[in-house]
Amino acid sequence: MIIIVKQDTSKEKITSLIHSLEEQNFKTHLSEGENTTIIGLVGDTSLVDIDSLKARDIVEDVRRVSEPYKKANRKFHTDDTIVEVLGKKIGGGHFAVMAGPCSVESEPQILEVAESVMQSGATFLRGGAFKPRTSPYAFQGLEKYGIDFLLECKKKYGIPIVTEIMGISDIPLFEDVDIIQVGARNMQNFRLLKELGKLKQPILLKRGLANTIEELLMSAEYIMSGGNENVILCERGIRTFETYTRNTFDVSAIPMLKRLSHLPVIADPSHAAGLDWMVEPLAKAAIAAGADGLMIEVHNDPPHALSDGKQSLTPTRFSEVMKSLKAYMQLESKTLE
Amino acid sequence: MIIIVKQDTSKEKITSLIHSLEEQNFKTHLSEGENTTIIGLVGDTSLVDIDSLKARDIVEDVRRVSEPYKKANRKFHTDDTIVEVLGKKIGGGHFAVMAGPCSVESEPQILEVAESVMQSGATFLRGGAFKPRTSPYAFQGLEKYGIDFLLECKKKYGIPIVTEIMGISDIPLFEDVDIIQVGARNMQNFRLLKELGKLKQPILLKRGLANTIEELLMSAEYIMSGGNENVILCERGIRTFETYTRNTFDVSAIPMLKRLSHLPVIADPSHAAGLDWMVEPLAKAAIAAGADGLMIEVHNDPPHALSDGKQSLTPTRFSEVMKSLKAYMQLESKTLE
Amino acid sequence: MIIIVKQDTSKEKITSLIHSLEEQNFKTHLSEGENTTIIGLVGDTSLVDIDSLKARDIVEDVRRVSEPYKKANRKFHTDDTIVEVLGKKIGGGHFAVMAGPCSVESEPQILEVAESVMQSGATFLRGGAFKPRTSPYAFQGLEKYGIDFLLECKKKYGIPIVTEIMGISDIPLFEDVDIIQVGARNMQNFRLLKELGKLKQPILLKRGLANTIEELLMSAEYIMSGGNENVILCERGIRTFETYTRNTFDVSAIPMLKRLSHLPVIADPSHAAGLDWMVEPLAKAAIAAGADGLMIEVHNDPPHALSDGKQSLTPTRFSEVMKSLKAYMQLESKTLE
Amino acid sequence: MIIIVKQDTSKEKITSLIHSLEEQNFKTHLSEGENTTIIGLVGDTSLVDIDSLKARDIVEDVRRVSEPYKKANRKFHTDDTIVEVLGKKIGGGHFAVMAGPCSVESEPQILEVAESVMQSGATFLRGGAFKPRTSPYAFQGLEKYGIDFLLECKKKYGIPIVTEIMGISDIPLFEDVDIIQVGARNMQNFRLLKELGKLKQPILLKRGLANTIEELLMSAEYIMSGGNENVILCERGIRTFETYTRNTFDVSAIPMLKRLSHLPVIADPSHAAGLDWMVEPLAKAAIAAGADGLMIEVHNDPPHALSDGKQSLTPTRFSEVMKSLKAYMQLESKTLE
């Protein structure tokens, strides 16, 4: 950690700051330049309160040099984390395809979609029971019934299920859910993250629309520091000035996250662009960039979907897309199973 | 609402779409251009499911022409909403100054700050009991005790208090809190918004770091549609590429929100830039742009603050800033009381 | 084009506006909704002055429905444009790899790099003679001598060359340059674009750091409307809030540009992230997303490069990367020749 | 300057890097932490080639601690620069109002506008002769004739004139122009900046749509390092995800630029939001935040303006706005003369 001292600060004040830092068991190094004086701080700085340092009147700025996350950091855990659910693996060369409708709409609908996506090679069934919608007047999901219908699919076809949680009070409903998803808008709902840290199930954590890669890793750290180290990171597009696509799919986040962290990283090409025809090229790009899995929206009847129909593939189209994706998985030596 | 039809769509398909829209009681107008055919949709389109329309195979795009929010919309409520708490008013010419520390740290601390900010003219005491922090290792607030200490100030000095809520389960603790704040990271925590819509207290809703003005109004709509129409909007900086300031204070959001909505709009210059010396110019700019109030961080000892010390003013500095702000309030014919 | 009329506008004023539009030979359609009245405008609206329409006192907003670009628009030119230079083709299934140093630094340097990148399969030699640098104190390029050294490579090895132009007065120096590059910072240097529209050589147009896909196509339109229809578009990263990567590589711009336009689209993974180790995954992602070519920085001695060494590959590393890229080209049925 | 060394680098390599830095006459300080080793670099680092440092294989990252600009830096020039033209001053307590149409359209038009804005208190006449337009099909300005008409106003009324330059070859036409404006899209047209550095006239440099505060200062440095130290900086809105306003007016850039630099800073509230009714609140906010001047679009007949009518004020409206702005100037102790 680097402390930049304000210009024309007296020697006494600098010495006093150094003493107070050394009392906290940090080693310090002073560099006095012509125009700038800096103090290097050595030790475990992940617990330093950067805010109170910045507030000292002789301090111009404080900059971190090492990452503020530890459990999610590859420096302290070099091997890839492999998340395993009902025999399906994610990470370390194992590729996952999570497919299904944006919203669970009825039992026959989800059973039909489940069967068809499994036939095309999907390894997980996704479907929204609780839906975060911008408008209070829009369809908000089947809630408990949605989860029941997903569990019905799991029972019938043996496919593990992934679905989104929106609040702590719903945790009991998720007891048999295989992977619990945290949506982009809840990425920094720290209360929820803390509670999920106490659970056993893997957590699929989506990057917020305007959250940095570091913030995503800090949110993973929240869950992991609670004891649940099975976190799957998901890039799903960030908010930029571009309007032709709903979000800007930050494909470079994939190799960056893989380098910084040992956690599996998947991509959601359906939400990233919001356009059905763009799912295939973005899915291929994600695999090429090193993703460990994909989350793809598939709906039996997109024009009558209760949410996000524009970005959903039909089962037929999904089957074609999967064929082309498998060639990419092979090139990257990923196994889908 | 405008539906743009894909190029080279057959007349039959267009007619069929129009019929289905008219069955839903919309009036339609067809405009056939050389290269583009559009269908205008007339009626109450706030309930139209724009997603399923977009998913139709002959539809290239759908664009809203009227706003998707109703209760927050000035078109249907031309007079300014005035929120009143313990005799203090916000909106319609009444200006509010909410001052206090980022975090409540102890009873003596908050009592000392409360007394001093009141003397300088603050009309509300702010202070965080539950703190949303990016790092799980950072100070998370005194929680219940923090609220107790704030209530102690209210009892002793009669000042109304504002503090942030982070989860539904904490609502009982907020029974005597005068204004309940929703932080930027929870602006789209729709579950929480719905519950707050059932309460009586005014809600101070902060704009998310990457949320549009329209989304902020839609989140207000969530609360209002539940029955609680006392919502105060707060601009506190958005995320951009600029790094010299922590966020970019979107001053133009203030006149825009005042034009689109009847709700009071306040600004938080402390969080916007994250720099103590910039609080005064941004606060003045906010008043000049039409704000109905300000939220300003004041700490008795910024270098030892447990959070956000860099952006806090000392009580002495706050007193000076208030003097210069009062001249601005006068120019804008706002009364601080 | 849609004109949204302000609430409570009198019938007379609306009629008057409609008459003035019909005098300009547009057909109009009036849709009167409960809260909103809109006028649809039909005809060739690419020449409509949207600004003066918006300035009318009864107009709330004006929105385009069809694209403002024509020559670059795939709607009016369905086949892929194939740019051909010295027997090398770009577009329509033909893939181009442009490799070389950020800056040309000396004749031996560029000759050495040229030979090695050709051996690895590069089809074009890139190298900067004129360098746009943020600081006036940084190396600004060898200018005329840089172009001479590139031409020496072309003469010796027969490889076509690509280099950046920074000003109109340098055009005579580019007479024998095969592809003239316009850098991101000059994407809206309209004066320069107009002059390039009068030349015969293909223009490689890089997307500006904060320019939309539509603006990139409008800049291509500037060049094409001058008579030069050989424009190659290049995605090279946009500016966002993320700081771990220098820019955010907008991979979705590739399929979007290919859909909206018939022009070839290439990607620059070196500038996008600014990190050598990320060139390979981003290059693979670009091919997977449908790119027609790549521009990759290769330097014989990155630590001693006079610019952008951090993002340059060594010739050895480039050779390895090319091997893995060729498998991707094959999967996408692209020929590199 | 701080060099962060890669984890697990050998002592020998670190020592070798330190030697090579000391040979360049830098003093170094080594701080060896548990997980991170950093080297502090002391001396005049404004000339250090940060790129080649970053490219060294043992270097993880390099961070500047001091600013890369010198001539524009307040640290080396504590007093405010006051730019003076024809007796009108900008900076150091002197406020300037530059008003006029987006485009000069005819001699009678500009004469009429000039007379009316002077009566309302404008100290400079602005008007575009060369217009940078996104579309090649839009009105591009009267060019030479536009400048002639502006000079006619200067001759008749004695008002100094400000107009935008788009290319080096037009410099001779600007001989009698009082302040030469560089538009946002040319902020990093380094060729143009260098040439303007050789001129005597003050340069009004607008911030690019996606350029940081630091980049704006570096572009000022380009002009100043050429010998022309009369640079006026202009904030005119940056590009963000918000769509209700054309750009986001970064009001915090004003106090930040004033703190970092001694150069005068003005604001352009007309372009910032693109909406006539928002000019007044943003102009007031700019003065409140410390601006040294304003640039405001005024058109005698906005609905028939050839560009940007939506954001232009009528002369009558401008006169009203000026009255309210004068009260703000007085509060900030600025003199308009």
Side-chain angles (χ1 to χ4, degrees):
Chain A
M1 188 170 280
I2 298 302
I3 301 168
I4 304 164
V5 178
K6 278 187 190 152
Q7 225 184 355
D8 304 324
T9 298
S10 71
K11 286 234 165 188
E12 289 69 32
K13 287 193 169 178
I14 295 176
T15 310
S16 153
L17 174 58
I18 288 175
H19 282 175
S20 87
L21 292 165
E22 290 180 344
E23 274 168 17
Q24 296 168 56
N25 285 316
F26 291 110
K27 275 192 287 178
T28 60
H29 287 83
L30 183 69
S31 304
E32 291 176 276
E34 210 172 331
N35 303 310
T36 318
T37 296
I38 60 172
I39 302 169
L41 206 61
V42 177
D44 178 2
T45 58
S46 71
L47 301 174
V48 169
D49 192 336
I50 201 166
D51 286 324
S52 65
L53 259 182
K54 279 189 181 174
R56 301 236 177 187
D57 57 357
I58 69 163
V59 173
E60 189 168 308
D61 204 2
V62 179
R63 306 212 189 137
R64 280 197 181 280
V65 164
S66 54
E67 300 82 13
Y69 46 89
K70 301 191 108 181
K71 289 184 173 290
N73 197 331
R74 196 182 275 275
K75 278 189 188 160
F76 309 118
H77 184 308
T78 46
D79 289 345
D80 283 349
T81 284
I82 300 173
V83 171
E84 187 169 351
V85 188
L86 289 186
K88 305 294 181 191
K89 293 175 183 168
I90 313 170
H94 303 275
F95 199 86
V97 174
M98 304 170 180
C102 182
S103 301
V104 178
E105 293 168 16
S106 72
E107 191 173 328
Q109 175 239 17
I110 192 71
L111 282 166
E112 181 188 335
V113 175
E115 194 177 2
S116 74
V117 298
M118 285 180 76
Q119 279 167 0
S120 303
T123 50
F124 289 81
L125 176 66
R126 62 144 288 156
F130 296 91
K131 298 301 306 170
R133 302 299 296 274
T134 311
S135 168
Y137 310 122
F139 174 63
Q140 310 271 322
L142 295 183
E143 310 198 341
K144 184 191 173 310
Y145 301 102
I147 292 185
D148 288 346
F149 298 156
L150 285 167
L151 291 174
E152 201 54 40
C153 294
K154 178 178 170 179
K155 196 175 149 192
K156 186 160 178 189
Y157 301 115
I159 191 168
I161 61 173
V162 188
T163 192
E164 180 172 350
I165 194 164
M166 281 181 64
I168 293 171
S169 56
D170 298 326
I171 288 179
L173 296 173
F174 283 72
E175 205 178 333
D176 298 318
V177 168
D178 301 293
I179 296 182
I180 302 177
Q181 177 180 324
V182 177
R185 285 171 188 77
N186 277 319
M187 193 201 93
Q188 292 194 319
N189 183 337
F190 301 119
R191 275 299 186 80
L192 180 60
L193 300 180
K194 274 187 199 174
E195 289 303 313
L196 298 177
K198 299 174 188 165
L199 303 185
K200 291 256 167 12
Q201 293 115 303
I203 308 300
L204 171 51
L205 181 66
K206 289 196 157 189
R207 181 181 183 185
L209 273 79
N211 287 110
T212 60
I213 288 170
E214 185 169 298
E215 287 171 342
L216 174 59
L217 290 168
M218 288 307 288
S219 286
E221 191 83 8
Y222 254 96
I223 299 166
M224 297 171 85
S225 68
N228 185 349
E229 304 210 350
N230 281 319
V231 178
I232 301 159
L233 306 170
C234 180
E235 163 63 31
R236 45 81 74 216
I238 58 171
R239 191 159 265 186
T240 70
F241 58 82
E242 179 57 59
T243 54
Y244 274 19
T245 44
R246 189 163 60 175
N247 298 295
T248 295
F249 181 53
D250 182 7
V251 72
S252 55
I254 299 169
M256 185 55 88
L257 285 167
K258 297 289 298 174
R259 189 178 180 94
L260 296 172
S261 177
H262 51 88
L263 297 172
V265 178
I266 71 167
D268 177 345
S270 303
H271 280 88
L275 297 163
D276 54 358
W277 63 268
M278 214 188 257
V279 170
E280 183 177 354
L282 295 190
K284 292 196 291 191
I287 303 174
D292 298 305
L294 290 166
M295 180 166 249
I296 296 179
E297 288 197 1
V298 179
H299 194 281
N300 50 333
D301 184 10
H304 294 105
L306 294 177
S307 57
D308 281 345
K310 184 67 177 175
Q311 70 198 37
S312 293
L313 304 183
T314 60
T316 312
R317 182 79 193 106
F318 176 67
S319 160
E320 293 161 9
V321 169
M322 279 298 284
K323 272 176 210 140
S324 82
L325 296 184
K326 281 172 188 165
Y328 277 83
M329 292 173 209
Q330 205 178 347
L331 217 51
E332 292 293 316
S333 310
K334 304 278 188 186
T335 54
L336 175 69
E337 52 185 9
Chain B
M1 190 170 279
I2 299 300
I3 300 167
I4 304 164
V5 178
K6 279 189 189 152
Q7 225 186 354
D8 304 323
T9 299
S10 72
K11 287 235 166 189
E12 289 69 29
K13 288 195 168 176
I14 294 175
T15 310
S16 153
L17 173 59
I18 287 175
H19 281 174
S20 87
L21 291 166
E22 289 180 342
E23 274 169 14
Q24 297 169 57
N25 285 317
F26 292 109
K27 275 193 287 181
T28 61
H29 287 84
L30 183 68
S31 304
E32 291 176 275
E34 213 171 328
N35 303 311
T36 317
T37 297
I38 60 174
I39 302 169
L41 205 63
V42 178
D44 178 3
T45 58
S46 69
L47 303 173
V48 169
D49 191 340
I50 202 165
D51 286 325
S52 65
L53 258 181
K54 279 189 180 174
R56 303 237 177 187
D57 59 356
I58 69 164
V59 172
E60 189 168 306
D61 203 2
V62 180
R63 306 212 190 137
R64 280 196 182 280
V65 164
S66 55
E67 302 80 13
Y69 46 89
K70 301 192 108 183
K71 289 184 174 289
N73 198 331
R74 194 180 277 276
K75 277 190 188 159
F76 308 118
H77 185 307
T78 45
D79 290 344
D80 283 350
T81 284
I82 299 173
V83 171
E84 186 169 351
V85 188
L86 288 187
K88 306 293 182 190
K89 294 176 182 168
I90 313 170
H94 304 275
F95 199 86
V97 174
M98 304 170 179
C102 182
S103 302
V104 178
E105 294 168 16
S106 71
E107 192 173 328
Q109 175 238 17
I110 191 73
L111 281 167
E112 180 187 336
V113 174
E115 194 178 2
S116 73
V117 297
M118 285 180 76
Q119 278 168 358
S120 303
T123 50
F124 289 80
L125 177 66
R126 63 144 288 156
F130 296 91
K131 298 303 305 171
R133 302 299 295 274
T134 310
S135 167
Y137 310 122
F139 173 62
Q140 311 270 323
L142 295 183
E143 310 198 341
K144 185 191 172 311
Y145 300 103
I147 292 185
D148 288 345
F149 298 155
L150 286 167
L151 291 174
E152 200 54 40
C153 295
K154 178 178 170 180
K155 197 173 150 194
K156 185 159 180 192
Y157 301 115
I159 191 168
I161 60 172
V162 188
T163 192
E164 180 172 350
I165 195 165
M166 282 182 64
I168 293 171
S169 56
D170 299 325
I171 288 179
L173 296 173
F174 284 71
E175 205 178 335
D176 297 318
V177 168
D178 301 292
I179 296 182
I180 302 177
Q181 177 181 324
V182 177
R185 287 171 187 76
N186 277 319
M187 194 201 91
Q188 293 194 317
N189 182 338
F190 301 119
R191 275 302 185 79
L192 179 61
L193 300 180
K194 273 188 200 173
E195 289 304 313
L196 297 177
K198 298 174 188 165
L199 303 185
K200 291 257 165 11
Q201 293 116 302
I203 307 299
L204 171 51
L205 181 65
K206 288 196 157 189
R207 181 182 182 184
L209 272 79
N211 287 110
T212 61
I213 289 171
E214 185 169 299
E215 286 171 343
L216 173 59
L217 290 167
M218 289 307 288
S219 286
E221 192 82 7
Y222 254 95
I223 301 167
M224 296 171 86
S225 68
N228 185 350
E229 305 212 348
N230 282 318
V231 178
I232 301 159
L233 306 170
C234 181
E235 163 63 30
R236 45 81 74 215
I238 58 173
R239 193 160 264 188
T240 70
F241 58 82
E242 180 56 58
T243 54
Y244 274 18
T245 44
R246 189 162 61 175
N247 299 295
T248 295
F249 181 53
D250 183 6
V251 72
S252 55
I254 298 169
M256 185 55 90
L257 284 167
K258 296 289 298 174
R259 190 179 180 94
L260 296 172
S261 177
H262 50 88
L263 297 172
V265 178
I266 71 167
D268 176 346
S270 303
H271 280 89
L275 298 163
D276 53 358
W277 64 267
M278 215 189 258
V279 171
E280 182 177 353
L282 296 190
K284 293 195 291 190
I287 302 175
D292 298 306
L294 290 166
M295 180 166 249
I296 295 178
E297 289 197 0
V298 179
H299 194 282
N300 50 333
D301 184 11
H304 295 104
L306 295 177
S307 58
D308 280 346
K310 185 67 177 174
Q311 70 197 35
S312 293
L313 303 183
T314 60
T316 311
R317 183 79 193 106
F318 176 66
S319 161
E320 292 161 9
V321 169
M322 279 299 283
K323 272 177 210 142
S324 82
L325 297 184
K326 281 172 189 167
Y328 277 83
M329 292 174 208
Q330 205 178 347
L331 216 52
E332 292 293 317
S333 311
K334 303 279 188 186
T335 54
L336 174 69
E337 53 186 8
Chain C
M1 189 170 279
I2 299 301
I3 300 167
I4 303 165
V5 178
K6 278 189 190 152
Q7 224 186 354
D8 303 324
T9 299
S10 72
K11 288 235 164 187
E12 290 70 30
K13 288 194 168 177
I14 296 176
T15 311
S16 155
L17 174 59
I18 289 175
H19 281 175
S20 88
L21 293 165
E22 290 180 342
E23 274 169 13
Q24 296 169 58
N25 284 317
F26 292 108
K27 275 194 287 181
T28 61
H29 286 85
L30 183 67
S31 304
E32 292 176 275
E34 211 172 329
N35 303 312
T36 317
T37 297
I38 60 173
I39 302 168
L41 205 63
V42 177
D44 178 3
T45 58
S46 71
L47 302 174
V48 168
D49 191 339
I50 202 165
D51 286 324
S52 65
L53 258 181
K54 279 189 180 174
R56 302 238 178 188
D57 58 356
I58 68 164
V59 173
E60 189 167 306
D61 204 1
V62 180
R63 306 213 190 136
R64 281 197 181 280
V65 164
S66 54
E67 301 81 13
Y69 47 88
K70 301 192 108 182
K71 288 183 174 290
N73 198 331
R74 194 180 276 277
K75 278 190 188 159
F76 309 117
H77 185 306
T78 45
D79 290 345
D80 284 349
T81 284
I82 300 173
V83 171
E84 186 168 354
V85 187
L86 288 187
K88 306 294 182 191
K89 292 175 183 168
I90 312 170
H94 303 276
F95 199 85
V97 174
M98 304 170 179
C102 181
S103 302
V104 178
E105 294 167 17
S106 71
E107 192 173 327
Q109 175 237 17
I110 192 72
L111 282 167
E112 180 187 336
V113 174
E115 195 178 0
S116 73
V117 298
M118 286 180 75
Q119 278 168 0
S120 302
T123 50
F124 289 81
L125 176 66
R126 64 144 287 157
F130 296 91
K131 297 302 306 171
R133 302 299 295 273
T134 310
S135 167
Y137 310 122
F139 173 63
Q140 310 270 323
L142 295 183
E143 310 197 343
K144 185 191 173 310
Y145 300 102
I147 293 185
D148 288 346
F149 298 156
L150 286 167
L151 291 174
E152 201 54 40
C153 294
K154 178 178 171 179
K155 198 174 148 192
K156 186 159 179 191
Y157 301 115
I159 190 167
I161 61 172
V162 188
T163 193
E164 180 172 349
I165 194 165
M166 282 181 64
I168 293 172
S169 55
D170 298 325
I171 288 179
L173 297 173
F174 283 72
E175 206 178 333
D176 298 318
V177 167
D178 301 292
I179 296 182
I180 301 177
Q181 177 181 324
V182 176
R185 286 171 187 76
N186 277 318
M187 194 201 93
Q188 292 195 318
N189 182 337
F190 301 119
R191 275 300 185 80
L192 180 61
L193 300 180
K194 273 188 199 173
E195 289 303 312
L196 298 177
K198 298 174 188 166
L199 303 186
K200 291 255 163 12
Q201 294 115 302
I203 307 299
L204 170 51
L205 181 65
K206 287 196 157 187
R207 181 181 183 185
L209 272 79
N211 287 110
T212 61
I213 288 170
E214 185 169 299
E215 287 171 342
L216 174 58
L217 290 168
M218 289 307 287
S219 285
E221 191 83 8
Y222 254 95
I223 300 166
M224 297 171 86
S225 69
N228 185 349
E229 304 210 350
N230 282 318
V231 178
I232 301 159
L233 305 170
C234 181
E235 163 62 31
R236 45 81 75 215
I238 58 173
R239 191 161 265 185
T240 70
F241 58 83
E242 180 56 60
T243 53
Y244 274 20
T245 44
R246 189 162 62 174
N247 298 294
T248 295
F249 181 53
D250 182 6
V251 71
S252 56
I254 299 169
M256 185 55 88
L257 284 167
K258 297 289 299 173
R259 190 179 180 94
L260 296 172
S261 177
H262 50 89
L263 296 172
V265 178
I266 71 166
D268 177 346
S270 303
H271 280 87
L275 298 163
D276 53 359
W277 63 267
M278 214 189 258
V279 170
E280 182 176 353
L282 296 190
K284 293 195 292 190
I287 302 175
D292 298 305
L294 290 166
M295 181 165 249
I296 295 179
E297 289 198 0
V298 179
H299 194 282
N300 49 333
D301 184 11
H304 295 104
L306 294 177
S307 59
D308 281 345
K310 186 68 177 174
Q311 70 197 36
S312 292
L313 304 182
T314 60
T316 311
R317 182 79 193 107
F318 176 67
S319 162
E320 293 161 9
V321 169
M322 279 299 283
K323 271 175 209 140
S324 82
L325 297 184
K326 280 171 188 166
Y328 277 83
M329 293 175 207
Q330 205 178 347
L331 216 52
E332 292 292 318
S333 310
K334 304 278 187 186
T335 54
L336 174 69
E337 52 185 10
Chain D
M1 189 171 278
I2 299 300
I3 301 168
I4 303 164
V5 178
K6 278 187 190 152
Q7 226 185 354
D8 303 324
T9 298
S10 71
K11 286 234 166 189
E12 289 69 30
K13 287 194 170 177
I14 295 176
T15 310
S16 153
L17 174 59
I18 288 175
H19 281 175
S20 87
L21 291 166
E22 289 179 344
E23 274 168 15
Q24 296 169 56
N25 285 316
F26 291 110
K27 274 192 288 179
T28 61
H29 287 85
L30 182 68
S31 304
E32 291 176 276
E34 211 172 332
N35 303 310
T36 317
T37 296
I38 60 173
I39 302 169
L41 206 62
V42 177
D44 178 3
T45 58
S46 71
L47 302 173
V48 168
D49 192 338
I50 201 166
D51 286 324
S52 64
L53 259 182
K54 278 188 181 173
R56 301 236 178 189
D57 58 356
I58 68 163
V59 173
E60 189 168 305
D61 203 1
V62 180
R63 306 213 189 135
R64 279 197 183 279
V65 164
S66 55
E67 301 82 14
Y69 46 89
K70 302 191 108 184
K71 288 182 174 291
N73 197 331
R74 195 181 275 276
K75 278 190 188 158
F76 309 117
H77 184 308
T78 46
D79 290 345
D80 284 349
T81 285
I82 299 173
V83 171
E84 187 169 351
V85 188
L86 288 186
K88 306 293 182 192
K89 294 175 182 169
I90 313 170
H94 303 275
F95 200 86
V97 175
M98 304 170 179
C102 182
S103 301
V104 179
E105 294 169 16
S106 71
E107 191 173 327
Q109 175 239 16
I110 192 71
L111 282 166
E112 182 188 334
V113 174
E115 195 179 359
S116 73
V117 298
M118 284 179 76
Q119 278 167 0
S120 303
T123 49
F124 289 81
L125 176 66
R126 63 144 288 156
F130 295 91
K131 298 302 307 170
R133 301 299 297 272
T134 310
S135 167
Y137 311 122
F139 173 64
Q140 310 270 322
L142 295 183
E143 310 198 341
K144 184 191 172 310
Y145 301 103
I147 291 184
D148 288 346
F149 298 157
L150 286 167
L151 291 174
E152 202 54 40
C153 295
K154 178 178 170 179
K155 197 173 148 194
K156 187 160 177 189
Y157 300 116
I159 192 169
I161 60 173
V162 188
T163 192
E164 180 172 350
I165 195 165
M166 282 181 63
I168 293 171
S169 55
D170 298 327
I171 288 179
L173 296 173
F174 283 71
E175 205 179 332
D176 298 318
V177 168
D178 301 293
I179 296 182
I180 302 178
Q181 177 180 324
V182 176
R185 287 171 186 76
N186 277 319
M187 194 201 92
Q188 293 194 318
N189 183 338
F190 301 119
R191 275 302 186 78
L192 181 59
L193 300 180
K194 273 187 199 174
E195 290 303 313
L196 298 177
K198 299 174 188 164
L199 303 185
K200 290 256 164 16
Q201 293 115 303
I203 307 301
L204 171 51
L205 180 66
K206 288 195 157 188
R207 181 181 182 184
L209 273 78
N211 287 110
T212 60
I213 288 170
E214 185 168 299
E215 287 172 342
L216 174 58
L217 289 169
M218 289 306 287
S219 285
E221 191 83 7
Y222 254 95
I223 300 167
M224 296 171 86
S225 68
N228 185 349
E229 305 210 350
N230 282 317
V231 178
I232 301 159
L233 306 171
C234 181
E235 163 62 32
R236 46 80 75 214
I238 57 172
R239 192 160 265 186
T240 70
F241 58 82
E242 179 56 59
T243 54
Y244 273 20
T245 44
R246 188 162 62 174
N247 298 295
T248 295
F249 181 53
D250 182 7
V251 71
S252 56
I254 298 170
M256 185 56 89
L257 284 168
K258 297 288 299 174
R259 190 178 180 94
L260 296 172
S261 177
H262 51 88
L263 297 172
V265 178
I266 70 167
D268 177 345
S270 303
H271 281 87
L275 298 162
D276 53 359
W277 64 267
M278 213 188 260
V279 170
E280 183 178 353
L282 296 190
K284 292 195 291 190
I287 302 175
D292 298 306
L294 290 166
M295 181 167 247
I296 296 179
E297 289 197 0
V298 179
H299 194 281
N300 50 332
D301 183 11
H304 294 105
L306 294 177
S307 58
D308 281 344
K310 185 67 177 175
Q311 70 198 38
S312 293
L313 304 183
T314 59
T316 310
R317 182 80 192 106
F318 176 67
S319 161
E320 293 162 9
V321 169
M322 278 299 283
K323 272 176 211 140
S324 82
L325 297 184
K326 281 171 189 167
Y328 277 83
M329 292 175 208
Q330 206 178 346
L331 217 51
E332 292 292 317
S333 309
K334 304 276 188 187
T335 54
L336 175 69
E337 50 185 9

